[in-house]
Amino acid sequence: MASVLRFRKLCYVDSAVKCTSVGYESFDIDEKLDEKEEDVLSANNFALEINKKRKQPKRQPKEWRCLDSCCWIIGYLCTTWWLLLFFYHCLPVTLLRVPELPGPGVRLKREGLTALHPVVLVPGIVTGGLELWEGRPCADGLFRKRLWGGGSFTQIFKRPLCLLEHLSLHYETGLDPQGIRVRAVPGLVGADYFAPGYFVWAVLIENLAKIGYEGKNLHMAAYDWRLSFQNTEIRDHALTRLKSKIELMYISNGYKKVVAVPHSMGVIYFLHFLKWVETPPPMGGGGGPGWCAKHIKAVMNIGPAFLGVPKAVSNLFSAEGKDVSYIRAMAPGVFDSEILGLQTFERVMRMARTWDSIVSLLPKGGEVIWGNMDRSPEEGHVCDFSKKSHSKTSLTTNNVNNSDVKRGFLVKDLANYGRIISFGKPASVLHSSKLPTADSKEFSRTSTSENFNNFSCGEAWTEYDEMSRQSIQNVAADKAYTTTTLIDLLRFVAPKMMRRAEAHFSHGIAENLDDPKYNHYKYWSNPLETKLSDAPDMEIYCMYGVGIPTERSYVYKLSPNSRCKSIPYQIDNSVHGEDGSCLKGGVYFADGDESVPVLSAGFMCAKGWKGRTRFNPSGIATYIREYRHKPPTSLMEGRGIESGSHVDIMGNFALIEDIMRVAAGATGDEIGGDQIHSDIIKMSERINLGI
Amino acid sequence: PLTDPPGVKLRKEGLTVNHPVVFVPGIVTGGLELWEGHQCAEGLFRKRLWGGSFGELYKRPLCWAQHMSLDNETGLDPPGIRVRPVSGLVAADYFAAGYFVWAVLIANLAQIGYEEKTMYMAAYDWRLSFQNTEVRDQTLSRIKSNIELMVATNGGKKVVVIPHSMGVLYFLHFMKWVEAPPPMGGGGGSEWCAKHIKAVMNIGGPFLGVPKSVSGLFSVEARDIAIARTFAPGFLDKDVFGLQTFQHLMRMTRTWDSTMSMIPKGGEIIWGGLDWSPEGSSFSCGAKTLRNNSINNTDQIPNINLANMKNVNYGRIISFGKDVAEAHSSKIERVDLLDSMKADMLANLTNCDIWIEYHDIGDHRIKAVADYKVYTAGSILDLLQFVSPKLMARGGAHFSYGIADNLDDPKYQHYKYWSNPLETKLPDAPDMEIYSMYGVGIPTERAYVYKVTTATDCSIPFQIDTSAEGGSEDSCLKGGVFSADGDETVPVLSAGLMAAKGWRGKTRFNPSGIPTYIREYSHAPPANLLEGRGTQSGAHVDIMGNFALIEDVIRVAAGATGKELGGDHVYSDIFKWAERINLQL
């Protein structure tokens, strides 16, 4: 009824407007508004007359004014809106629903699979929700509201600085700042959707539910991903909770072992947990040596960042990456520079540097794994950003005739992936003998003589502000850094952060794993410095996407503006390689899932833990499951059912099917063993690691 | 000028986190979400069916009712449908947008430093019978494991448990379960409660049942429509289901075993016989309007109204006709129910689209029910048995409503007695404390006047006789309902008796002498709109926002004992009533 009335009113207004336009077109255009209203009124009086006029064939051409168009548009919009609303309410609910693609859950249910092993999901960095428990006055009314993830990021837009302040941790301790308590959102809601419609775990959960999973045998091990892993236990007892939860699920589901499904950083978090749980108290959980063997059937790592991600380097070094930062890499367009004003990068960097967890993602294993100045395990990798051209390798290699490489001997335009940061393109391609060496002693010398010039730069300080101009330039003096020297570099530019974080994380390779020092928790999340637990029946899966160019190393430059409070380095995005080169916008790309390179994700399963090694003394079976990236073919697919990218892979049907089969009782051999598309085996062979 | 919320006030006093806190929500207030459903519920995966906005209830009411129902025979999931409780604090912080349940308490506890690791919401599927929550979801095991975890991670500090409404009975069940040996129990051993629990602070606990549940089961009406509605305000409106609301609702709520946990317990000894009731004439129903924050005028009012209340026979929980309700028992002619039961013939099958058990019983039975005229808390069970045998058979396997003669009888080890405080012993935990905290000063349904409806086959044959009025304004009979003192849902008698008498001191129900404290909160309606649902409310759910109650809870959580809190704090006549009840201790 209301709509009918409204429609009639609309017609009336329309006709009135038409009248004004026909009858009074001779009036001046700049007539005043109130006059216009009078005109409309009088126009109504004359409506009849004018209508008669209109029927006469002799009619002046209409002068369509802006106001009329506006009214028309409004009228049309209103009518359409009302009609749509009307139809929406008339149609049955089910008709309007977009038919969803039947996931593997439905098919596997028909096959007769049912819930067997309880499943524990371990979310990665950034994707978990955080909520406020205590805050400053500026965060009034946000009690138990999400500051991060889940619903809306509206709060970030409303009060960006306040939010940044609350999401930051204490710079010295890496724990809560005074008067602020931000905690992880518990339960499945903690990480099912990152933002409305942007799924993380939701698709997997829904499919698991199809074969009978529910709250009692499906658990999300939410933790505060900003903290270092041991601190999640110290502050929130997150590890103890996870242990108790797994034990409970094991018992209450008829003594069925648990299948753990960690994602991204959750992978190394769970690695840490596996060591923690068997270590005696007070440092560990006191589960005893047989705990993992007793409680865990399989660890199905999705997009594992076992050996770190180069992205973390650029994030810590200059708060940028191919996309602005690591955070932004996983969360689309939240941190736009407009929101935070001019100093976006500085503020984001300041926040990110208080998060210990990012340090856990720095590349591990140094030059042995990631390559030195002149060689890297991936060398020979061919990038093509447009389409596949695997057969054209020869073409691209011949093409290289760049002036920059002139001084070098005849090389293919090899990406020197080993040089994870180089200052200037020459430094990235020249042979190492022609480069000044980056010596860690040099750092220590300069840092002692450094004068702390705390010229007050406002609140958005970073540790760069404490460095002298001279040492900033020293760092950049035409050098290249490998993964090993990189750590020294970071220690130099951000000593406090590294001091704080290195109490929790280590990035080396163990010479002798029986050395008692490796009992310390800082080694637990580094697969190269820990032994896997004694659980020969357990299975470890490395499941990750391949076929997407992934950041691997960077070309840097000094940033031009030298005002204080700015970050002195930035990625030199003017540097491009030739067609087919892996260098683009100052970033060298390698194969991977857009965030984690294949090397980091696959190496442990391909070599480090394969068979009985010193890292895997009980010979836990490992399986590599690679999923080739295929972008969604149609709009219906949303983010794709065959995607291989870091987060979207959680919606990959093949991967979901694998997880479901294992959860329903299958072993790695039954689902097909290894499934490899990349060169991971070849790469691993090139790595000279004593196993 | 709003006063400081208790959390802020107590933080200034220097209180900090001490004991971990466990919340046990009551019936209806916990959220339920869909995990598996029929075609019509497509797209609702992990969406709330119960709680939240109730949007789906309006969009597809029949589908909704179908999914909310349980299996009529087993009381568990119907095939192809899995509806599960929402977990975590979000399960029951708000019942619907803006309608708080636990949220205020949580916010105040957070002020003195509580957070997720020290607060735990023991969410369970409140539709199931208590033991079935363990059978289907292992809920009791989860609660046990979580409490153990919280004690372990908080330096051995015992937990303070705060059950509300039906959660009180649920936790009573839990305390028995956890110490009972497997397979029926949790195998925690006889010292589990003593080791892990500092205090149980029952809020609005229907220890001995609620009369409302009778009318809910009997005819899905009370002053509000359904048992569901009695605990949650106006979401189930008549219009939603069209004309057959009652039948749909009744069919749905009758599949919920939990509603039967709240049938009045203890029979005539507790609730009164045909001619006497413990409350006698001490409550003034009309006084509600006069009562303010001050209580000094309460002693005058009862005298004025005494005349009106002489004939309130609360003991007769259901009477057919007002005259019957008020006449002396010797003047009532009753036809014995059992006789008519024998003469009963098979029901004439009706062809109603909606099945409820009433259609299986014939007209004869219906007439026999009405002929019996008056039912006390004892005979009400026979009545329910009579009109809905299947329902009671299912419920009887999980709940019991009597008084134990000899608590050492091995039969009382069965779980169906665990939620009845009159048929179980409290655990051996002399250091534990039990609080009964509830609102008083609101007229609460206590007994009903019924009539037989003359409508067609497909409707419910009994209805509250809303035309029965008490005459004067202060009468306790209004619209066919006799009211007594209480918190709008639970009468004082049910909420307070155990703490006032049954468990007071060392009794056979409380062999280790666990101290009990009664904390009553006199109801004062919100003074102005700013206060929302009031900071001094005594109503069943709104009391969760009562500042005095919150302060008590926080103090105990921060380490205070019941004595330090001020011991008993009583407005009602509960101790006087308790004396009148002839319960062997």
Side-chain angles (χ1 to χ4, degrees):
Chain A
M1 206 39 218
S3 56
V4 173
L5 277 177
R6 174 128 185 188
F7 192 72
R8 277 179 60 182
K9 201 169 142 200
L10 215 82
C11 296
Y12 177 74
V13 171
D14 281 349
S15 70
V17 168
K18 244 179 263 167
C19 295
T20 50
S21 62
V22 177
Y24 295 88
E25 58 203 1
S26 56
F27 274 53
D28 258 346
I29 294 173
D30 13 334
E31 60 192 341
K32 284 176 186 170
L33 261 176
D34 43 357
E35 272 179 8
K36 247 188 231 167
E37 275 167 29
E38 278 176 28
D39 295 342
V40 174
L41 281 176
S42 51
N44 295 337
N45 297 335
F46 292 120
L48 260 175
E49 236 180 274
I50 292 155
N51 278 345
K52 274 180 207 161
K53 258 189 209 168
R54 222 188 258 167
K55 281 168 194 163
Q56 294 168 358
K58 180 195 136 199
R59 232 181 101 182
Q60 290 175 331
K62 264 203 250 173
E63 210 175 290
W64 200 244
R65 290 182 308 173
C66 177
L67 180 75
D68 302 323
S69 327
C70 282
C71 289
W72 267 106
I73 289 167
I74 291 168
Y76 277 130
L77 281 179
C78 289
T79 326
T80 341
W81 189 70
W82 270 93
L83 280 174
L84 282 176
L85 208 70
F86 179 68
F87 281 125
Y88 177 79
H89 281 285
C90 286
L91 290 171
V93 198
T94 39
L95 263 184
L96 282 170
R97 200 160 286 285
V98 182
E100 284 167 20
L101 293 166
V106 179
R107 186 161 46 82
L108 294 178
K109 190 186 177 185
R110 265 186 235 124
E111 267 185 39
L113 263 64
T114 49
L116 187 71
H117 296 280
V119 172
V120 173
L121 311 173
V122 188
I125 196 169
V126 174
T127 45
L130 298 173
E131 60 188 11
L132 184 74
W133 279 85
E134 186 183 343
R136 302 265 153 80
C138 73
D140 240 359
L142 292 182
F143 176 68
R144 285 186 60 223
K145 297 271 188 315
R146 291 219 181 175
L147 296 189
W148 186 267
S152 52
F153 279 94
T154 45
Q155 293 305 334
I156 286 194
F157 293 99
K158 271 193 215 147
R159 24 191 158 172
L161 290 183
C162 181
L163 258 286
L164 280 192
E165 185 190 354
H166 282 81
L167 286 173
S168 299
L169 294 168
H170 193 275
Y171 204 85
E172 307 283 325
T173 61
L175 292 168
D176 288 329
Q178 192 67 33
I180 293 178
R181 281 187 290 152
V182 174
R183 295 291 179 263
V185 179
L188 292 177
V189 285
D192 54 351
Y193 287 95
F194 179 68
Y198 189 84
F199 70 82
V200 182
W201 293 93
V203 181
L204 180 60
I205 293 171
E206 188 161 357
N207 280 295
L208 283 170
K210 290 264 162 39
I211 61 166
Y213 280 93
E214 59 191 49
K216 69 175 171 184
N217 45 18
L218 185 60
H219 173 67
M220 177 80 74
Y223 60 98
D224 189 338
W225 45 263
R226 300 169 305 156
L227 299 184
S228 79
F229 304 154
Q230 193 68 10
N231 275 343
T232 63
E233 168 66 13
I234 289 168
R235 198 192 71 182
D236 298 336
H237 309 300
L239 297 172
T240 314
R241 282 158 168 265
L242 180 56
K243 171 170 176 259
S244 141
K245 203 80 205 181
I246 289 178
E247 285 167 354
L248 173 69
M249 293 211 294
Y250 170 70
I251 292 168
S252 62
N253 287 287
Y255 299 93
K256 290 278 179 306
K257 293 189 210 174
V258 170
V259 172
V261 187
H263 171 233
S264 182
M265 192 183 79
V267 167
I268 46 179
Y269 184 74
F270 199 74
L271 208 62
H272 185 95
F273 170 78
L274 291 181
K275 283 303 279 187
W276 173 87
V277 75
E278 299 202 338
T279 308
M283 203 187 273
W291 196 92
C292 294
K294 186 178 165 196
H295 291 95
I296 295 177
K297 170 188 156 62
V299 184
M300 308 195 75
N301 305 295
I302 304 176
F306 278 121
L307 301 177
V309 261
K311 256 186 190 174
V313 176
S314 64
N315 179 45
L316 284 176
F317 196 58
S318 67
E320 58 186 340
K322 188 188 69 182
D323 346 83
V324 172
S325 71
Y326 189 68
I327 303 159
R328 226 181 130 181
M330 301 220 185
V334 177
F335 281 94
D336 283 335
S337 38
E338 299 88 54
I339 308 171
L340 303 170
L342 283 170
Q343 292 186 310
T344 321
F345 291 152
E346 285 82 354
R347 288 184 197 281
V348 169
M349 173 187 246
R350 188 177 162 217
M351 175 175 75
R353 281 191 173 186
T354 66
W355 296 347
D356 281 339
S357 57
I358 292 186
V359 178
S360 77
L361 291 171
L362 286 179
K364 290 163 190 162
E367 293 181 5
V368 176
I369 302 289
W370 294 92
N372 55 21
M373 299 297 266
D374 292 314
R375 54 153 291 276
S376 69
E378 284 114 326
E379 60 197 12
H381 174 70
V382 178
C383 305
D384 196 325
F385 296 99
S386 48
K387 51 188 167 203
K388 300 209 183 316
S389 62
H390 286 282
S391 52
K392 295 181 188 168
T393 325
S394 53
L395 192 144
T396 50
T397 47
N398 296 337
N399 221 353
V400 178
N401 233 340
N402 207 309
S403 56
D404 276 340
V405 205
K406 226 188 288 171
R407 283 174 292 169
F409 42 82
L410 179 65
V411 274
K412 303 179 266 181
D413 188 7
L414 270 189
N416 276 324
Y417 290 122
R419 305 173 189 184
I420 209 150
I421 286 184
S422 6
F423 282 92
K425 193 180 175 190
S428 77
V429 286
L430 282 180
H431 192 262
S432 60
S433 54
K434 306 215 168 77
L435 281 172
T437 47
D439 194 353
S440 53
K441 278 174 228 149
E442 200 176 320
F443 293 138
S444 47
R445 182 170 45 77
T446 37
S447 64
T448 45
S449 64
E450 189 181 331
N451 53 334
F452 283 92
N453 43 351
N454 266 339
F455 41 102
S456 58
C457 282
E459 36 158 3
W461 62 274
T462 61
E463 282 193 72
Y464 281 128
D465 297 337
E466 291 177 5
M467 287 170 65
S468 66
R469 203 65 214 164
Q470 182 58 41
S471 44
I472 286 174
Q473 262 150 15
N474 272 358
V475 164
D478 238 19
K479 286 173 198 160
Y481 297 89
T482 66
T483 326
T484 311
T485 48
L486 172 85
I487 305 283
D488 298 325
L489 172 66
L490 283 173
R491 277 185 200 135
F492 178 65
V493 299
K496 284 184 200 160
M497 174 192 76
M498 289 306 279
R499 214 175 301 137
R500 188 191 71 222
E502 290 202 310
H504 289 283
F505 298 108
S506 166
H507 301 94
I509 300 178
E511 291 295 319
N512 172 18
L513 278 165
D514 293 322
D515 191 328
K517 78 167 182 176
Y518 289 115
N519 291 334
H520 191 271
Y521 60 77
K522 75 177 195 178
Y523 300 104
W524 290 346
S525 60
N526 182 354
L528 299 171
E529 290 180 304
T530 44
K531 285 188 228 176
L532 287 181
S533 32
D534 179 22
D537 293 338
M538 208 168 96
E539 294 173 325
I540 293 181
Y541 294 80
C542 290
M543 321 171 83
Y544 50 89
V546 294
I548 309 181
T550 305
E551 293 171 47
R552 179 65 173 77
S553 56
Y554 302 91
V555 178
Y556 266 87
K557 66 177 180 192
L558 278 171
S559 45
N561 58 343
S562 57
R563 66 193 162 91
C564 75
K565 288 202 283 184
S566 69
I567 297 171
Y569 310 109
Q570 70 184 50
I571 290 176
D572 189 357
N573 47 22
S574 64
V575 179
H576 291 281
E578 300 290 299
D579 282 345
S581 155
C582 291
L583 177 62
K584 201 176 184 192
V587 179
Y588 283 98
F589 291 92
D591 199 4
D593 69 357
E594 202 168 12
S595 289
V596 182
V598 167
L599 183 68
S600 171
F603 175 73
M604 288 318 287
C605 284
K607 187 169 180 185
W609 290 332
K610 194 85 189 174
R612 224 177 257 269
T613 69
R614 65 189 179 111
F615 302 108
N616 180 10
S618 64
I620 297 170
T622 59
Y623 300 97
I624 296 180
R625 305 286 295 176
E626 291 185 349
Y627 304 91
R628 186 172 288 294
H629 175 70
K630 279 187 204 141
T633 48
S634 69
L635 219 74
M636 289 276 293
E637 284 184 19
R639 282 156 64 204
I641 55 172
E642 289 177 289
S643 175
S645 82
H646 193 61
V647 175
D648 294 353
I649 200 173
M650 311 282 281
N652 185 312
F653 280 4
L655 174 129
I656 291 175
E657 186 175 334
D658 285 350
I659 292 177
M660 290 176 70
R661 285 193 187 281
V662 172
T667 64
D669 287 329
E670 282 165 24
I671 62 169
D674 289 344
Q675 171 184 295
I676 298 176
H677 300 293
S678 71
D679 294 332
I680 181 69
I681 301 291
K682 221 186 294 169
M683 287 181 211
S684 309
E685 275 166 18
R686 287 199 201 118
I687 292 175
N688 182 24
L689 175 72
I691 53 174
Chain B
L2 289 169
T3 47
D4 265 353
V8 177
K9 183 181 134 197
L10 295 173
R11 185 167 62 171
K12 282 180 196 147
E13 276 186 28
L15 266 62
T16 51
V17 197
N18 194 348
H19 296 278
V21 167
V22 177
F23 307 117
V24 187
I27 195 170
V28 176
T29 47
L32 298 173
E33 59 188 13
L34 184 76
W35 277 83
E36 186 181 342
H38 290 311
Q39 200 69 42
C40 70
E42 211 186 319
L44 295 182
F45 177 68
R46 285 184 59 224
K47 297 272 187 312
R48 284 202 184 193
L49 290 188
W50 188 270
S53 64
F54 282 95
E56 295 311 320
L57 166 59
Y58 292 101
K59 272 194 209 146
R60 18 190 158 167
L62 288 181
C63 179
W64 180 85
Q66 182 192 10
H67 282 79
M68 285 298 296
S69 301
L70 293 169
D71 188 279
N72 204 32
E73 303 285 322
T74 60
L76 293 169
D77 288 329
I81 292 178
R82 280 186 292 150
V83 174
R84 294 290 178 267
V86 178
S87 64
L89 291 178
V90 283
D93 54 350
Y94 288 93
F95 177 65
Y99 189 86
F100 71 81
V101 182
W102 294 91
V104 180
L105 185 57
I106 292 172
N108 279 294
L109 281 167
Q111 288 286 350
I112 66 162
Y114 278 89
E115 55 189 72
E116 204 80 45
K117 68 174 171 184
T118 40
M119 281 194 276
Y120 166 58
M121 178 76 73
Y124 57 98
D125 189 336
W126 44 262
R127 300 170 305 160
L128 300 184
S129 79
F130 302 156
Q131 193 68 10
N132 273 345
T133 63
E134 171 66 12
V135 171
R136 196 192 70 180
D137 298 337
Q138 283 89 42
T139 310
L140 297 172
S141 302
R142 282 156 167 267
I143 295 174
K144 172 170 178 261
S145 146
N146 261 306
I147 290 180
E148 284 167 356
L149 173 71
M150 293 215 303
V151 171
T153 54
N154 287 288
K157 297 259 170 54
K158 296 187 214 172
V159 296
V160 171
V161 184
I162 308 171
H164 172 234
S165 182
M166 192 182 76
V168 167
L169 301 177
Y170 189 72
F171 196 73
L172 214 58
H173 185 96
F174 172 80
M175 284 196 290
K176 288 303 282 184
W177 173 87
V178 76
E179 299 202 337
M184 204 186 274
S190 62
E191 281 185 339
W192 196 93
C193 290
K195 266 189 204 150
H196 293 92
I197 301 176
K198 169 189 155 62
V200 184
M201 309 191 76
N202 303 296
I203 302 177
F207 282 109
L208 303 175
V210 240
K212 250 187 195 178
S213 70
V214 175
S215 65
L217 284 172
F218 191 50
S219 66
V220 198
E221 59 183 340
R223 256 183 323 205
D224 350 74
I225 295 179
I227 179 106
R229 230 184 126 181
T230 65
F231 293 88
F235 285 101
L236 305 173
D237 283 335
K238 287 185 191 180
D239 326 338
V240 180
F241 294 101
L243 287 171
Q244 293 176 314
T245 321
F246 284 151
Q247 283 92 334
H248 276 290
L249 274 185
M250 184 154 186
R251 197 173 65 149
M252 182 174 82
T253 54
R254 278 191 167 215
T255 63
W256 298 347
D257 284 342
S258 60
T259 55
M260 280 178 284
S261 71
M262 288 188 294
I263 292 173
K265 290 163 191 166
E268 298 185 6
I269 293 180
I270 303 289
W271 293 92
L274 287 174
D275 290 315
W276 78 278
S277 68
E279 283 102 332
S281 53
S282 57
F283 179 61
S284 152
C285 302
K288 179 194 164 199
T289 44
L290 298 177
R291 209 186 271 246
N292 273 328
N293 288 349
S294 57
I295 17 145
N296 50 356
N297 47 356
T298 41
D299 33 18
Q300 302 155 15
I301 300 157
N303 300 330
I304 310 167
N305 297 313
L306 250 176
N308 291 322
M309 288 174 298
K310 255 181 193 159
N311 286 331
V312 179
N313 287 317
Y314 287 125
R316 306 174 184 180
I317 286 189
I318 287 182
S319 353
F320 280 88
K322 186 191 165 195
D323 44 340
V324 176
E326 286 171 358
H328 192 264
S329 61
S330 57
K331 291 178 192 149
I332 305 173
E333 282 176 38
R334 297 164 81 187
V335 179
D336 201 345
L337 207 56
L338 290 174
D339 290 350
S340 51
M341 218 187 268
K342 279 172 208 152
D344 191 32
M345 40 186 227
L346 265 179
N348 48 341
L349 289 170
T350 51
N351 49 354
C352 303
D353 347 338
I354 304 155
W355 183 91
I356 55 170
E357 246 182 301
Y358 275 122
H359 302 139
D360 283 356
I361 65 173
D363 291 343
H364 279 82
R365 280 200 177 196
I366 291 168
K367 188 167 176 299
V369 165
D371 281 347
Y372 192 63
K373 298 260 166 54
V374 175
Y375 298 89
T376 63
S379 51
I380 203 94
L381 290 174
D382 300 330
L383 169 66
L384 289 173
Q385 208 99 53
F386 186 63
V387 296
S388 49
K390 281 186 202 160
L391 176 81
M392 291 306 285
R394 211 179 61 218
H398 288 284
F399 300 106
S400 166
Y401 314 102
I403 300 180
D405 286 328
N406 173 17
L407 279 165
D408 293 322
D409 192 328
K411 80 166 180 174
Y412 288 116
Q413 281 162 16
H414 191 269
Y415 60 76
K416 76 176 192 179
Y417 301 104
W418 290 346
S419 60
N420 181 355
L422 298 170
E423 291 179 305
T424 44
K425 287 188 228 177
L426 286 181
D428 179 20
D431 293 337
M432 207 170 97
E433 292 172 317
I434 293 183
Y435 295 79
S436 280
M437 320 169 81
Y438 52 89
V440 294
I442 309 181
T444 305
E445 293 172 44
R446 178 68 172 78
Y448 302 91
V449 178
Y450 264 87
K451 67 178 180 193
V452 177
T453 52
T454 47
T456 51
D457 271 353
C458 288
S459 66
I460 296 163
F462 308 107
Q463 248 180 32
I464 289 179
D465 186 1
T466 46
S467 64
E469 292 286 347
S472 86
E473 199 140 289
D474 291 341
S475 163
C476 283
L477 175 61
K478 262 209 184 94
V481 178
F482 286 101
S483 302
D485 198 2
D487 69 357
E488 201 170 13
T489 300
V490 182
V492 168
L493 187 69
S494 174
L497 183 73
M498 288 317 287
K501 183 167 185 180
W503 289 334
R504 180 91 1 164
K506 247 187 230 278
T507 68
R508 65 188 180 112
F509 302 111
N510 180 9
S512 64
I514 297 172
T516 58
Y517 301 97
I518 295 183
R519 306 286 294 174
E520 291 185 348
Y521 304 89
S522 181
H523 175 72
N528 55 39
L529 224 76
L530 259 177
E531 281 187 22
R533 282 156 64 203
T535 56
Q536 289 174 292
S537 175
H540 192 61
V541 175
D542 293 354
I543 200 174
M544 309 286 282
N546 185 313
F547 279 4
L549 176 132
I550 292 175
E551 191 178 325
D552 285 351
V553 170
I554 294 181
R555 282 190 190 282
V556 172
T561 64
K563 286 232 176 56
E564 286 162 20
L565 225 58
D568 290 336
H569 186 260
V570 179
Y571 294 104
S572 73
D573 295 325
I574 180 69
F575 282 109
K576 219 189 292 171
W577 300 342
E579 273 168 35
R580 286 195 206 132
I581 291 173
N582 183 23
L583 179 68
Q584 183 208 338
L585 293 176

